[in-house]
Amino acid sequence: MAEAAPCEHSSLMAEEAEPEATALWIVERNRAALRRCAIERPNRGEVTVESAYGAISRGTEALVAAGSVPESEWQRMRAPFQEGAFPFPVKYGYGTVGRVVGGDEDRSGEWVFCLYPHQDRFVVPGEAAVPVPRAVAPERAVLAANMETALNVVWDGGILPGDRVAVIGGGVVGLLVGFLAARIPATQTVVVDVNSARAKVAGALGVGFVGPGELPRDCDVVVHASASEAGLASAIDAAGVGARVVEASWYGERTPSVPLGGAFHSRRLSIIGSQVGRVPAARAPRWSNRRRLETALGLLADQRLDALFSGETRFAELAACYGEILADPATLCHRIRYD
């Protein structure tokens, strides 16, 4: 049974009950619950969105569910429209696709993507509801936040035609980075992962795949996306002289060892942190976060990206299996279906 809880849009009119919604809250370490809340009717410039699909971002949400967001990052790690506070209870998530059902009449019925937590109906400013391009299937558009991250990583890596590129870690972001890099003319792009089952997914995306025992060498750009010390060491080993290693993983409270001995300095390697919170400095004068997100949505028109979905759960059943989804290493993008 869903719990009752206040929302940011929770003021009730004495003479008329406000519409209600249901949201997923992480209520304590690795335990989630569905909570009912009231939402206000949209004001001028706002829209009501009825959710149709959502996506669980396993890496980040697993850290949040485990209470592993460092206190120093509590403000920077706040998701758009998050409620509650770290560590618990917190309403967290950032991938929802739905239809506009209230507010701006000109947008009625429009498919939109929102960086909104897991909730079946909500009110947001109109600019926060980004239209899904006609060429993009709504059920695939939930990958937008992951594609936006991957696009940022490719920019930070400065990948150019003809580059030899290795992506260490075949999670959703790593595979999307590989997908984008492989489309740059003449690149030789390979994903490296300990899970051989990821070879099939990489193949469906048109990207090469190898296990750690076949680690490529002398790469021009290496992207690390496995969030493991062993993966970071492999990324450094795969880099050629003067190459760039892009660290796309986030470790939460962990402090991984970085192997800076051996030939690290003689090879004059660069390690660059990539994080989607900011557009790379060289692009910031021209690229807003909105332009980047719209570009990411447009990149989802390729139906091969459906290979990234590893499962689907009805929203009404999500609280019961949320922890299991996060704990399963086979999880790529787990889709939520609202009905």
Side-chain angles (χ1 to χ4, degrees):
M1 186 174 181
E3 301 179 12
C7 274
E8 288 179 353
H9 298 286
S10 60
S11 59
L12 298 178
M13 297 173 60
E15 68 277 9
E16 184 179 3
E18 296 288 353
E20 288 192 329
T22 302
L24 183 84
W25 283 73
I26 303 170
V27 294
E28 59 184 46
R29 183 181 176 86
N30 293 324
R31 188 174 78 84
L34 294 178
R35 290 181 168 183
R36 296 289 293 171
C37 64
I39 57 172
E40 294 181 350
R41 291 177 175 80
N43 295 316
R44 182 182 297 273
E46 295 181 326
V47 293
T48 301
V49 177
E50 187 173 86
S51 305
Y53 306 100
I56 294 173
S57 184
R58 177 176 175 257
T60 303
E61 291 189 44
L63 287 169
V64 172
S68 296
V69 178
E71 187 171 353
S72 63
E73 301 302 303
W74 282 0
Q75 288 305 311
R76 277 188 288 265
M77 276 298 295
R78 285 190 65 85
F81 307 106
Q82 172 184 318
E83 293 183 45
F86 298 120
F88 313 110
V90 63
K91 185 176 78 174
Y92 195 86
Y94 45 83
T96 301
V97 171
R99 285 185 183 273
V100 174
V101 295
D104 187 348
E105 292 185 1
D106 291 339
R107 301 186 66 180
S108 181
E110 182 178 76
W111 283 103
V112 295
F113 173 84
C114 299
L115 291 165
Y116 203 91
H118 310 308
Q119 185 165 313
D120 59 3
R121 181 181 283 248
F122 51 88
V123 176
V124 292
E127 62 269 19
V130 183
V132 174
R134 290 183 180 274
V136 178
E139 59 268 31
R140 191 185 311 128
V142 295
L143 288 166
N146 300 117
M147 179 63 87
E148 187 179 20
T149 300
L151 181 60
N152 222 57
V153 170
V154 170
W155 286 345
D156 282 324
I159 300 172
L160 297 172
D163 277 348
R164 185 180 294 119
V165 181
V167 182
I168 313 297
V172 174
V173 170
L175 286 163
L176 284 171
V177 170
F179 171 77
L180 292 178
R183 297 172 71 179
I184 298 173
T187 58
Q188 301 173 53
T189 302
V190 63
V191 171
V192 184
D193 199 279
V194 297
N195 184 353
S196 60
R198 298 291 160 84
K200 182 177 180 179
V201 182
L205 299 179
V207 185
F209 179 91
V210 298
E214 302 171 88
L215 186 72
R217 304 288 177 175
D218 296 322
C219 293
D220 299 288
V221 180
V222 184
V223 174
H224 178 233
S226 79
S228 69
E229 289 187 1
L232 179 55
S234 293
I236 291 173
D237 285 345
V241 175
R244 179 175 297 188
V245 176
V246 181
E247 177 55 273
S249 302
W250 189 60
Y251 298 86
E253 293 181 316
R254 291 180 292 147
T255 53
S257 297
V258 183
L260 302 182
F264 177 85
H265 291 287
S266 65
R267 284 190 288 147
R268 302 187 64 80
L269 301 182
S270 298
I271 299 179
I272 298 170
S274 182
Q275 207 278 335
V276 73
R278 295 184 180 181
V279 173
R283 291 180 176 269
R286 303 174 306 281
W287 283 80
S288 64
N289 285 2
R290 172 64 176 243
R291 181 184 175 190
R292 184 183 60 185
L293 180 54
E294 289 175 340
T295 300
L297 276 164
L299 288 167
L300 296 176
D302 195 319
Q303 65 182 5
R304 292 179 296 174
L305 294 169
D306 290 336
L308 291 170
F309 292 103
S310 57
E312 184 176 277
T313 297
R314 293 179 61 246
F315 179 63
E317 301 167 354
L318 185 60
C321 53
Y322 186 66
E324 181 181 343
I325 293 167
L326 297 181
D328 187 353
T331 299
L332 281 171
C333 183
H334 194 94
R335 187 162 51 206
I336 302 164
R337 183 178 290 272
Y338 294 85
D339 51 31

